Each structure stands twice: as structure tokens, then as C-alpha cells.
Amino acid sequence: MKIKAEWMRGGTSKCWVFETEHLDKANANLDDLLPRLFGSPDSRQIDGVGGATSTTSKAMILSRPADSEVDVEFTFAQVGIEEAAVDWGSNCGNCSAVVGLYAIEKGWVVPDGDSTRIVTRNTNTGQIIIQRVSTPAGALPIVPDAQMPGVVFPGYRVGLGFQNPAGKTTGQLLPTGSPTDTIVAGGTRWTVSMVDAGAPVVIVRAEELGLDTGRYETWKDGVELQLDTLDQIRRQAAVRMGMAATPAEAARAVPKLAIVGPPEVPYAGGDVNVMMLSMGKPHPALAITGSIALTLAVRTPGTVLNTVAGNTEESVLKLRTPAGVIETWSEEQDGSLLVGVDRTARTIASSIIHLPETLGNVVEASLATATR
């Protein structure tokens, strides 16, 4: 079996992009199919198309819905690396940036003016994301020329506006009803904020981890020494947020965990310093869905981030990350709140992925059993 796919970069992530109808032809359970295609379980993913990191072991599955109000519907899959598992519990904001570009390149949406609007819906969360792809003179530039922090080469500019993003996973911006809560992990009491917007995020203060807020460049080493404790915090937060019955049952990808601290006085490039964990490890940049949660958290009185950054009603929030400063924006549009960020995206390759014969045999056996 051969499966068509596009290999695309969205923001600071890479993902394989599939159309639903192409995957349907495999007649396989996606929880079995995707890990095998990506080469999992294997820390190198050597016998598959995965990139062996949390930011490159991702899939996007696209379709054109009958709903006339939505141009493209998409599902995000975080494919495990060391485990043959798929996490469907969240969306990826960076990879979301490929959806509008894909739709234009495949002719699903016709460019209109200098900026083409594509209405997309993420099925993992039900989130509507209004995408605006730069199309000067009604076409994609011949050579992509938009730059962004964390990526060396340019891509096509894509604006992502999350429409009314609060509570899409848990039903509330503050799932516990409180701007701060106390979690005990590693024998220590931690003051955290749990926020659901874009993605569920648990926010921890850098000072409580013993990190030097005056030397952001030293955070990564300090964080890596405390990954077990941070995962305990994250898993307990999953239970508090109603996302898991027990800490052991918490998903790997959500809730996300963000460590925040005030910017150094000499450093005027951001409103707050952030380091986010992705699949248990420090993220090289920032999960964009997580940045949406941080944007609303900073505007919510009493949260950890609001205390760190101070009350702000500015329409632009500057988040310092390991890859540089990422700016998020907020605006009212047609009675809805849009919270967003600008990314870039680019198609890297068009491919035919070969489905391993062994999996095909398993699928055929399963189908035969089911029809007896």
C-alpha cells in the first residue's frame, strides 16, 4: 500500500500532512498505522518518516467539510517516539499554520487579494482558527520571503487567529475555578495556575524551581534536572483539570507545562520569559497553542503569569523563548475574540510513503476476523 503525503514545516515544527481519503484507503486503525509509518517505537524512528523529536513527530489529517462555514477541517496527531502510541488530546498551533497554505496550494481555496482568509476547524478541540495567508497580488509569492524567530529560512506568512479560545478542552478558562492552586510534588508545595485556551496549560513560577530569573540562558540546564518533578506537577494538574482520572492516566502531550519569570532588567525584548515542556522535554521554541493560553492568563487577575508580568491590556504580548521573542495579539472581530500569532509555513516535499507489508498483513487479518 502506498500513501500520498506532503512534508511541511509549520512554524517551528515539521509534520506529515495527509488527506483523510488517502489514509482511509489503508483500511487501518490510525493508532496502529501512524506509529508504523513514523517508525515508532524507536528513539531514532529509523524505519519510518518521523524526525525523532517531539517537534518533528507530528501528523496533520485534512479534509474538506460539507459545512459551508468552514473551508478546511483538520485533526492533529502527536506520534509517540519511544512508544507506539498516538496522542489525539490536543492541537499543534505551529503545525496548524500548514493548513491554510495546503488549501491554497491544492486549489481548495482560491487566493483573494493581498491576504487570503481561510476558515479552519480543529477536530481535536473544536477550535475555529481563522487563517490569513499572505498572497500579494492574489497569489502566493514565487519565492517565500517571510521570516520568524526559531527558523533559519523563510516561508509563507500565515496569521493564526484562535476564535474565542477559552475552555475548548475543559469547558472553562480556569478549569478549577481558581486563578491559582497548590500542588504537592517531589515533597514540595507548588503554586500553579491552570488555564485552558488554545490548549490546557499548567503554569509554574521560575523562582519556585530555583531558576535564576536574571539569567534566562541558564534555565534549560536547571529545568532538565527537575523533569521528573515537573511531570508529577503536570500529571496532577491533569487530574485537577478533569482531563484524567489518575496522574498515571494523564496524556503525554496535554496539559502542557510552562515555566515563567520576569524579564531581566537589561533585556527589554519581552514582557515575560517562558520555557515550555513538550512531551516531557524543554521545547526549543514555544507551543503556539500554549502561547494562546499564556496570552489569556496574563490578562486574568491573580494567575501566576499575571503576577509575574503585571496587569496589561496591551493588544500585543511579547514572550521570550529559547528561539527568540514571539508576539501574540488579541482583537475583537465581529463580536468574537481572536487571539493569535503570526507564523510561517512551507512545503518541503511531496511524497509517496510505503505502508510496510507486515502492517498490511495485520490489517487484512483483522478485517478477516471482523467479517467472520
Side-chain angles (χ1 to χ4, degrees):
M1 177 70 70
K2 299 175 183 179
I3 300 173
K4 292 181 180 180
E6 302 286 307
W7 199 22
M8 301 182 75
R9 175 185 65 76
T12 54
S13 291
K14 280 196 296 188
C15 55
W16 285 92
V17 182
F18 303 92
E19 293 184 21
T20 300
E21 63 181 76
H22 295 158
L23 288 179
D24 286 347
K25 292 178 181 178
N27 291 320
N29 186 314
L30 293 182
D31 288 295
D32 298 322
L33 176 63
L34 290 176
R36 185 62 193 94
L37 290 178
F38 276 62
S40 304
D42 175 9
S43 61
R44 301 171 301 161
Q45 292 183 322
I46 199 68
D47 197 46
V49 299
T53 68
S54 65
T55 56
T56 57
S57 188
K58 301 181 175 186
M60 297 290 272
I61 304 168
L62 277 56
S63 63
R64 304 174 73 177
D67 184 350
S68 60
E69 295 183 359
V70 175
D71 297 307
V72 186
E73 202 164 62
F74 69 97
T75 301
F76 169 67
Q78 179 75 57
V79 182
I81 300 172
E82 286 86 0
E83 57 277 326
V86 180
D87 193 328
W88 304 97
S90 66
N91 181 29
C92 171
N94 277 299
C95 279
S96 295
V98 309
V99 178
L101 176 61
Y102 186 97
I104 291 175
E105 291 185 332
K106 295 298 181 181
W108 293 6
V109 173
V110 178
D112 181 21
D114 290 338
S115 178
T116 299
R117 182 177 184 265
I118 304 105
V119 181
T120 68
R121 177 168 53 221
N122 171 248
T123 65
N124 305 80
T125 61
Q127 176 71 64
I128 296 292
I129 303 176
I130 310 298
Q131 305 200 14
R132 291 194 177 277
V133 180
S134 181
T135 52
L140 289 170
I142 296 175
V143 178
D145 58 1
Q147 297 281 356
M148 60 163 281
V151 182
V152 175
F153 299 107
Y156 297 103
R157 184 172 303 283
V158 182
L160 303 174
F162 288 66
Q163 187 179 74
N164 298 324
K168 285 294 187 287
T169 299
T170 67
Q172 298 182 77
L173 174 65
L174 301 175
T176 68
S178 174
T180 60
D181 290 273
T182 300
I183 287 178
V184 178
T188 301
R189 295 170 64 87
W190 307 88
T191 300
V192 306
S193 290
M194 291 173 263
V195 180
D196 175 15
V201 176
V202 52
I203 305 170
V204 182
R205 188 190 295 269
E207 293 95 323
E208 290 197 5
L209 291 166
L211 302 177
D212 186 346
T213 57
R215 299 177 62 203
Y216 179 72
E217 68 279 1
T218 67
W219 280 23
K220 186 172 184 290
D221 290 341
V223 168
E224 288 179 336
L225 293 173
Q226 303 179 73
L227 290 178
D228 288 343
T229 298
L230 289 168
D231 193 53
Q232 290 180 44
I233 295 172
R234 192 188 68 79
R235 288 178 177 276
Q236 289 192 45
V239 176
R240 298 278 192 95
M241 298 169 88
M243 300 176 63
T246 66
E249 295 177 67
R252 286 272 287 164
V254 287
K256 301 180 186 300
L257 186 141
I259 301 153
V260 301
E264 302 94 317
V265 174
Y267 184 81
D271 298 311
V272 64
N273 290 339
V274 181
M275 181 164 288
M276 188 165 279
L277 299 189
S278 175
M279 301 294 282
K281 298 178 182 178
H283 196 294
L286 183 66
I288 293 306
T289 50
S291 76
I292 303 303
L294 296 178
T295 302
L296 290 191
V298 79
R299 291 169 170 77
T300 303
T303 66
V304 167
L305 189 52
N306 176 264
T307 302
V308 167
N311 290 298
T312 176
E313 295 298 328
E314 297 294 329
S315 60
V316 174
L317 177 67
K318 297 179 181 179
L319 301 166
R320 185 184 182 190
T321 78
V325 174
I326 292 175
E327 295 186 359
T328 67
W329 44 265
S330 305
E331 64 180 48
E332 294 283 343
Q333 187 178 97
D334 299 328
S336 296
L337 173 65
L338 287 185
V339 182
V341 64
D342 290 344
R343 303 276 82 190
T344 66
R346 187 177 77 83
T347 298
I348 298 171
S350 298
S351 178
I352 301 292
I353 303 177
H354 293 249
L355 175 66
E357 185 64 28
T358 52
L359 182 60
N361 291 338
V362 170
V363 171
E364 290 175 8
S366 299
L367 290 174
T369 301
T371 55
R372 286 176 185 169

